[in-house]
Amino acid sequence: MYTTFEEEAKRKLVRGRSLSILEYDKILDRLVNHARTIYGRELCYGLVPTSDLPLVEEWQKETEDSLEFLVKEGALPLGGVNDVRDAVRFSDTGATLTMKHLLNIAQFLRTVERLYHVEPKSLQVEISEHAMLRELKQLIPLEALEKEISMAITGENEMNDRASNELYNIRRQIKDAQSSIREILERLIRKNPQALQDQLVTMRDGRYCVPVKPEKKSEVPGVVHDTSSSGQTLFIEPMAVVELNNKIREWTAAEQEEINRILGILSGKVGISKDAILADIALVGHIDFMQAKAQFALELDGSRPKLNDQGRIILRRARHPLIEKDRVVPIDFSVGTDYRTLVITGPNTGGKTVSLKTCGLISLMAMAGLFIPCSDGSEVSTFTKVLADIGDEQSIEQSLSTFSAHMTNLVQILKLTKPTTLVLVDELGSGTDPTEGAALAIAILDECRRKGAVTVATTHYKELKAYAVEQEGVENACCEFDTETLSPTYRLMIGLPGVSNAFVISRKLGLSPRIIENAQSILSEESLKVEELLSSAERHNRESEKLQQEISDLRDEVKRQTEELENRKKQIEKERKKILAQAREEKQEMLEEVLEKADSILDEMKEIQKLQNSHEAERKLRAIRNNLRAGLSDIDAERDDDEVPEEIPGEKPDKIREGGLYYSPNLDVTGIVIKGPDKGGNCILSSGPLKLTVAADSLRYPKKEEVKKSATRSRKEPKRSASVSRADQIRLNKKATMMPEIQLLGMTVDEAVHALDSYLDDCVISNIENIRIVHGKGTGALRSAVHQFLKKDKRVRTFRLGTFGEGEDGVTIAELR
């Protein structure tokens, strides 16, 4: 009995033995782990390979686009979505939904809004050409319905007072009556404390009562509603509050009636929008499914394969997807090229079966639109059927031996074999007499070849090695074995038949040389030569690959050292420019100080001149002044032609560099850039005693009069005086410290509104146009207060809730006038 949709999907998946044998269901289990919604998980479990090449191409493009989106834009906000399909369909029948159902629907609608308003920042592509963007923009946001539900319902069993005017008035009357009852009862308690068991007000059957001692019952006239278990306390509703309690009962009933009325209206609106919501559900499920495929591709470090329908499989550095990356040995695999039948030989536990399963499982994954764990340039064919017979399936219940079980499976496989079929057989012909088994294996391979199938088989029979050499369209392959360590390397070598290595292994394990020589004499001379040739070919192949690996390692090391030297060169150049900039700044400051002193001396000398009439002294002092000013000009002109572009006065620089002299039209200030530009596009401009933060885009190359004006101002003004007006100085100070964001989290509504009002004043002074207000999600009270304040404030041009990547519902983005 299947109790969940996952189990039902798995049951439907088993359409034959091959998917189960190749462990395709485990691939789906790992894919499902990346899905965030129940809708996406259902699509993951229902993913079945197809032989439709155009459809597979479409699925692969979908995975590729989803992976690109995930890498460049990050994961989509899909968490916390409940299954609302039954509730939506139920609402269409005219039934009333519960508050919990409506809240779940509102939550889903908010997810749809967030997804629809996702704006990619890094993707430069047309929406119609990108699968993920196309799905996102097909969503139908129902913002009005979501806001109406969210405003009316605040919890699974709680409706907002403001859901309707009638509900507000009813609840206000109930609160007033409850307040009046408490006042009456508190007066009674103060007046008759000796008659009460405890001086408190309690509830019995929804009515306000006081605990009275049985012997004092006459002192508190009223209705007895309950008695304590000991009989020592009577819970009496005093006559003075009976009428008010009755009113509360009436209003409570009216309250529930009004709540039901509101729920009915909201349910009706959900029913009206049923088709749009169900369409969004399907889209959200598909978006989640696509993102799951992308995340699974990242997990596998997978790539998109080339596709064909000709039976051609070429896998480069293929890894079995269910074996851990640090344990699996990548293999190069090919079949369906010059040969459509591949015979793999080699020792037990050498990797033959893993190679077989890798080929089959990767083919199934590619046909399901999933990326495969292979290097780029791999190619996979679509097949109408993938038929596999792998493993020992001896059946005790059916009295079948290993051979009989395999043969039963092979009979079924041969019935289904076509030119568009991939056949995978492990240990072909095993379990019976070697001579007969080898003959059967050759006959089965011949039959598969005759029907045109792509076939991969593993075997121990040497007859099949010869068959692969002699027969056109058949190729040998082997799993490498290291005779030095007496262990397999798990690497597949196509074009070479496997070597038994029996004599080598026996000799290394200590078997007597006399016995080995006797065994060799039994074999024919031709057989021995073949074994020796194969062993030699395998040994030379290993040596060749070892040399290739060493060459590859050397190339990687040279590349790494080249990159390291290049980075070091850039770092040295950066440090050099920084030192030069600091030196220029220090030299200019020093010359300005010297020039200031020289001006002071000249002024004193002029006074002396008037008394002594020394023309020669005036001439010499004027020469000193000119030399100092020429030195200051040399500092401004001190730039290397190879690293500084042509500076056209008044023009915008192509690139701002530290140590350069620039003019800020906004501040009417000329100075040296001592830092920046930073990530925000701002620089720090040094002008005399001032350190100003300015936008890099606003800077221009200075004109002569601006340089002169700045230099004169620096010399003539006192050292601590500002070169701007008091108002400008305030604005500059504000702009240097202001941030385009305010945090209101943890504040009360009054505190938040007051802080926001002051913050907007500072923003206006600092010419900040776009701000970010962080108020959090919570109950929504702080967000509502902020929005009400912004609506009425003339300093605000527009405002909106944050989108994905900006803080979503917990943030408001505002544009100031």
Side-chain angles (χ1 to χ4, degrees):
M1 186 69 181
Y2 291 90
T3 57
T4 65
F5 77 89
E6 291 96 339
E7 292 169 327
E8 177 66 15
K10 285 183 179 180
R11 184 180 67 82
K12 292 178 180 178
L13 177 64
V14 183
R15 302 166 190 268
R17 296 175 54 261
S18 297
L19 292 178
S20 178
I21 288 174
L22 293 171
E23 300 179 292
Y24 179 74
D25 54 332
K26 293 183 180 179
I27 292 294
L28 295 190
D29 288 337
R30 291 178 61 178
L31 177 64
V32 167
N33 288 336
H34 294 289
R36 305 287 302 280
T37 69
I38 189 171
Y39 318 123
R41 289 194 289 273
E42 287 180 357
L43 291 177
C44 290
Y45 271 124
L47 181 61
V48 177
T50 178
S51 60
D52 186 341
L53 182 58
L55 183 57
V56 176
E57 290 280 11
E58 182 182 331
W59 288 356
Q60 288 286 347
K61 175 66 164 58
E62 186 180 271
T63 305
E64 183 178 53
D65 289 348
S66 303
L67 180 60
E68 180 187 26
F69 188 96
L70 179 66
V71 171
K72 292 185 177 180
E73 303 294 331
L76 289 165
L78 287 165
V81 175
N82 294 301
D83 191 357
V84 298
R85 288 172 292 191
D86 289 342
V88 172
R89 296 188 185 105
F90 191 52
S91 68
D92 191 40
T93 65
T96 299
L97 301 178
T98 65
M99 294 186 195
K100 181 179 180 180
H101 285 146
L102 288 168
L103 275 180
N104 287 340
I105 290 171
Q107 185 182 34
F108 172 75
L109 295 178
R110 280 195 295 275
T111 298
V112 171
E113 291 173 30
R114 287 196 296 269
L115 292 173
Y116 180 79
H117 289 107
V118 166
E119 292 295 337
K121 301 178 179 62
S122 305
L123 290 175
Q124 304 296 327
V125 64
E126 291 292 331
I127 291 176
S128 60
E129 297 176 359
H130 196 281
M132 181 63 82
L133 296 181
R134 190 167 57 247
E135 293 287 290
L136 290 172
K137 292 310 174 184
Q138 286 179 5
L139 291 166
I140 307 171
L142 300 173
E143 298 182 21
L145 179 58
E146 182 274 321
K147 285 180 171 55
E148 191 169 353
I149 296 174
S150 299
M151 188 279 292
I153 303 174
T154 56
E156 291 186 3
N157 297 294
E158 183 180 355
M159 184 165 283
N160 192 345
D161 292 349
R162 297 291 183 180
S164 73
N165 291 332
E166 181 65 20
L167 183 62
Y168 176 77
N169 291 332
I170 291 172
R171 287 182 173 176
R172 182 173 54 79
Q173 289 174 323
I174 292 173
K175 289 178 182 177
D176 291 344
Q178 290 171 337
S179 179
S180 298
I181 289 174
R182 286 191 173 276
E183 289 178 4
I184 293 170
L185 293 180
E186 285 173 0
R187 286 199 301 270
L188 187 147
I189 289 171
R190 289 195 298 271
K191 185 177 180 181
N192 301 301
Q194 72 286 347
L196 303 178
Q197 197 69 262
D198 293 299
Q199 295 186 17
L200 54 83
V201 177
T202 184
M203 296 286 292
R204 285 294 185 274
D205 297 328
R207 303 180 75 88
Y208 287 89
C209 302
V210 290
V212 180
K213 298 175 183 177
E215 65 272 14
K216 300 291 185 178
K217 176 182 177 182
S218 60
E219 296 183 17
V220 184
V223 181
V224 177
H225 284 284
D226 198 5
T227 305
S228 67
S229 58
S230 64
Q232 299 301 311
T233 304
L234 300 177
F235 295 95
I236 297 177
E237 177 187 7
M239 295 303 296
V241 298
V242 169
E243 185 62 29
L244 285 173
N245 270 330
N246 289 338
K247 285 288 185 184
I248 289 176
R249 278 282 179 92
E250 294 174 8
W251 287 327
T252 301
E255 176 192 21
Q256 187 58 49
E257 185 177 344
E258 178 64 13
I259 288 174
N260 290 338
R261 186 187 72 83
I262 295 169
L263 290 177
I265 292 173
L266 294 175
S267 299
K269 292 185 177 181
V270 170
I272 292 171
S273 302
K274 181 196 73 170
D275 292 340
I277 296 174
L278 292 178
D280 281 342
I281 287 173
L283 285 167
V284 168
H286 195 228
I287 290 168
D288 187 24
F289 168 63
M290 290 194 297
Q291 180 166 277
K293 291 199 296 179
Q295 290 174 327
F296 187 38
L298 278 181
E299 178 189 328
L300 290 178
D301 190 20
S303 63
R304 178 180 178 179
K306 298 178 183 177
L307 295 169
N308 68 80
D309 57 2
Q310 306 301 312
R312 190 167 55 257
I313 300 176
I314 303 172
L315 306 181
R316 305 185 188 282
R317 294 191 59 77
R319 294 172 279 110
H320 193 286
L322 298 178
I323 301 178
E324 296 176 11
K325 291 182 183 178
D326 56 349
R327 292 180 52 231
V328 66
V329 177
I331 62 171
D332 291 327
F333 185 98
S334 63
V335 69
T337 52
D338 297 332
Y339 49 92
R340 291 178 71 84
T341 301
L342 184 67
V343 178
I344 305 175
T345 53
N348 288 328
T349 70
K352 300 192 305 298
T353 303
V354 171
S355 298
L356 199 66
K357 285 188 172 184
T358 300
C359 169
L361 188 52
I362 284 179
S363 296
L364 292 175
M365 289 175 63
M367 291 161 60
L370 301 175
F371 275 19
I372 60 175
C374 300
S375 296
D376 291 338
S378 296
E379 188 171 357
V380 178
S381 175
T382 57
F383 296 96
T384 55
K385 290 184 182 298
V386 176
L387 304 172
D389 178 58
I390 300 173
D392 184 359
E393 296 192 14
Q394 179 175 346
S395 174
I396 296 175
E397 290 182 359
Q398 298 179 20
S399 301
L400 294 177
S401 66
T402 299
F403 176 75
S404 298
H406 279 302
M407 199 51 57
T408 300
N409 295 334
L410 286 170
V411 168
Q412 296 301 318
I413 287 174
L414 290 174
K415 287 180 180 179
L416 299 172
T417 299
K418 298 178 181 178
T420 56
T421 302
L422 173 62
V423 177
L424 306 171
V425 185
D426 190 29
E427 298 297 348
L428 182 59
S430 63
T432 187
D433 176 78
T435 304
E436 294 178 354
L440 276 172
I442 292 173
I444 290 170
L445 289 179
D446 271 337
E447 180 65 12
C448 290
R449 286 180 56 249
R450 188 184 66 79
K451 292 188 173 184
V454 175
T455 306
V456 183
T458 68
T459 184
H460 282 292
Y461 294 137
K462 63 180 181 180
E463 290 85 351
L464 266 69
K465 301 177 189 178
Y467 170 79
V469 171
E470 297 168 356
Q471 195 67 48
E472 186 179 354
V474 184
E475 184 59 271
N476 267 308
C478 69
C479 288
E480 186 182 58
F481 187 88
D482 191 336
T483 55
E484 296 298 323
T485 61
L486 299 184
S487 60
T489 65
Y490 303 106
R491 294 174 61 252
L492 186 70
M493 298 188 299
I494 293 178
L496 286 175
V499 184
S500 66
N501 294 310
F503 295 146
V504 176
I505 294 172
S506 300
R507 184 179 290 110
K508 286 187 176 291
L509 292 177
L511 187 64
S512 169
R514 180 177 56 79
I515 297 175
I516 294 173
E517 289 174 3
N518 188 27
Q520 288 176 333
S521 66
I522 296 173
L523 287 177
S524 66
E525 183 178 350
E526 183 179 348
S527 298
L528 286 174
K529 286 182 178 180
V530 169
E531 289 292 322
E532 289 175 2
L533 285 172
L534 290 176
S535 298
S536 176
E538 187 174 327
R539 184 173 61 256
H540 284 97
N541 186 68
R542 284 200 301 270
E543 292 174 355
S544 173
E545 290 187 353
K546 183 178 179 181
L547 287 173
Q548 288 178 352
Q549 185 61 44
E550 290 177 356
I551 293 171
S552 178
D553 292 342
L554 285 173
R555 286 175 179 168
D556 292 342
E557 179 64 19
V558 169
K559 183 179 178 181
R560 185 189 64 79
Q561 290 186 3
T562 302
E563 291 176 352
E564 187 176 321
L565 288 172
E566 188 64 27
N567 291 335
R568 182 60 182 161
K569 180 181 177 182
K570 291 178 181 178
Q571 185 65 27
I572 292 172
E573 183 64 17
K574 184 177 179 181
E575 292 293 331
R576 185 183 72 84
K577 290 180 179 179
K578 183 177 179 181
I579 292 170
L580 285 175
Q582 290 176 346
R584 292 190 189 105
E585 183 181 2
E586 291 172 0
K587 188 173 181 180
Q588 178 158 338
E589 289 177 355
M590 180 179 67
L591 285 175
E592 286 178 353
E593 291 177 4
V594 172
L595 190 56
E596 187 177 343
K597 291 179 182 179
D599 284 338
S600 177
I601 293 171
L602 282 173
D603 291 338
E604 292 177 4
M605 291 302 298
K606 284 182 180 179
E607 295 298 325
I608 296 172
Q609 269 187 289
K610 293 178 182 178
L611 298 175
Q612 299 180 356
N613 195 25
S614 175
H615 296 290
E616 182 62 22
E618 181 181 3
R619 184 183 65 77
K620 290 182 179 180
L621 288 173
R622 188 181 294 111
I624 293 171
R625 186 207 297 263
N626 291 337
N627 288 336
L628 288 172
R629 286 179 175 164
L632 184 60
S633 298
D634 290 341
I635 289 293
D636 294 336
E638 189 182 77
R639 297 182 179 91
D640 296 330
D641 293 337
D642 60 340
E643 63 180 35
V644 181
E646 183 182 0
E647 299 182 354
I648 303 174
E651 292 292 322
K652 180 180 178 180
D654 292 333
K655 180 180 179 182
I656 301 297
R657 59 182 183 80
E658 291 183 1
L661 189 68
Y662 301 95
Y663 172 66
S664 172
N666 296 340
L667 304 179
D668 191 23
V669 170
T670 300
I672 295 174
V673 171
I674 60 174
K675 188 176 181 181
D678 57 19
K679 292 181 180 178
N682 294 322
C683 303
I684 297 179
L685 191 70
S686 174
S687 179
L690 293 177
K691 299 290 188 294
L692 308 172
T693 300
V694 297
D697 288 341
S698 68
L699 296 178
R700 300 291 183 270
Y701 288 125
K703 300 176 183 178
K704 290 184 178 180
E705 58 268 26
E706 291 161 353
V707 176
K708 183 177 180 181
K709 178 180 177 183
S710 177
T712 303
R713 183 160 50 205
S714 298
R715 292 195 305 272
K716 295 298 182 182
E717 288 183 356
K719 193 71 175 176
R720 295 185 180 274
S721 66
S723 61
V724 292
S725 67
R726 177 62 179 166
D728 287 341
Q729 185 64 51
I730 292 173
R731 179 169 62 83
L732 289 172
N733 291 339
K734 282 288 182 186
K735 191 170 183 67
T737 58
M738 280 296 294
M739 297 292 292
E741 177 179 291
I742 181 171
Q743 293 275 351
L744 303 180
L745 294 174
M747 297 185 183
T748 64
V749 169
D750 291 337
E751 291 171 345
V753 170
H754 178 73
L756 182 56
D757 189 24
S758 300
Y759 176 73
L760 291 180
D761 285 339
D762 294 340
C763 289
V764 171
I765 292 173
S766 305
N767 290 333
I768 293 178
E769 294 181 358
N770 295 290
I771 61 173
R772 184 173 184 263
I773 305 168
V774 182
H775 44 65
K777 297 179 181 179
T779 62
L782 191 57
R783 176 182 62 196
S784 178
V786 168
H787 286 190
Q788 289 297 326
F789 177 79
L790 295 175
K791 281 181 183 177
K792 300 175 183 178
D793 200 304
K794 295 182 179 180
R795 294 168 291 188
V796 179
R797 185 188 303 276
T798 61
F799 67 92
R800 61 175 173 80
L801 280 174
T803 60
F804 172 63
E806 294 178 327
E808 301 176 3
D809 296 350
V811 167
T812 294
I813 308 298
E815 180 182 359
L816 306 183
R817 297 182 185 278

